[in-house]
Amino acid sequence: MSLVSRIRHVMACQAQAPGGGRARLAAALVATLVATLAVWARRDLVESHAMAQACLAGQGGAVCGVRAALVQAFNSGLLGALVLAAALLALLCRRAWTAALCLTLGATGLVLYSFQAGALALLIGALLLLPAARQS
């Protein structure tokens, strides 16, 4: 079976699954987009030597405030706490939107230095978004 036919098969199964396969797909796409933005922020804002020098020299503008807020969020543990709170909310509420939030914040936590909390939340969000096993 080719890769394209496998993707079509998965998409067809997701669309037929109870509970909104399209909602699960949308959640995965949003999580991917947010993780991509987090990778950009990590690479171009936090770890960029040129950005650090510009902020130290006072030439970075408003971007330096965003950079400082990101650094403070993971240094203080706030990002990890937020990610774990989303995981707990998803486990308690068992709604698609809480699982999607958990998945998205988990991906962000993985990228932005909250590895343990991010991995746990990503796993919880992904498992909650999986369709229930069907009885045959």
Side-chain angles (χ1 to χ4, degrees):
M1 181 182 275
S2 71
L3 179 62
V4 173
S5 61
R6 286 183 187 183
I7 292 172
R8 286 183 182 153
H9 175 71
V10 168
M11 296 290 287
C13 290
Q14 289 292 324
Q16 295 171 359
R22 294 188 201 281
R24 285 189 290 276
L25 180 62
L29 290 175
V30 167
T32 303
L33 177 65
V34 171
T36 303
L37 290 173
V39 168
W40 170 81
R42 178 178 174 166
R43 189 191 66 175
D44 291 346
L45 294 181
V46 177
E47 293 182 352
S48 171
H49 182 68
M51 179 59 68
Q53 293 298 322
C55 289
L56 286 174
Q59 300 169 345
V63 175
C64 289
V66 173
R67 180 182 187 274
L70 279 172
V71 171
Q72 183 63 26
F74 59 75
N75 278 341
S76 67
L78 179 64
L79 182 60
L82 183 64
V83 169
L84 289 177
L88 182 62
L89 179 69
L91 284 172
L92 292 175
C93 294
R94 305 260 178 177
R95 301 274 187 245
W97 71 269
T98 59
L101 178 68
C102 183
L103 183 74
T104 302
L105 288 177
T108 303
L110 275 175
V111 173
L112 292 175
Y113 310 103
S114 294
F115 308 115
Q116 292 90 358
L120 180 64
L122 187 71
L123 178 64
I124 290 170
L127 288 175
L128 289 174
L129 286 171
L130 283 176
R134 293 186 181 175
Q135 298 288 334
S136 296

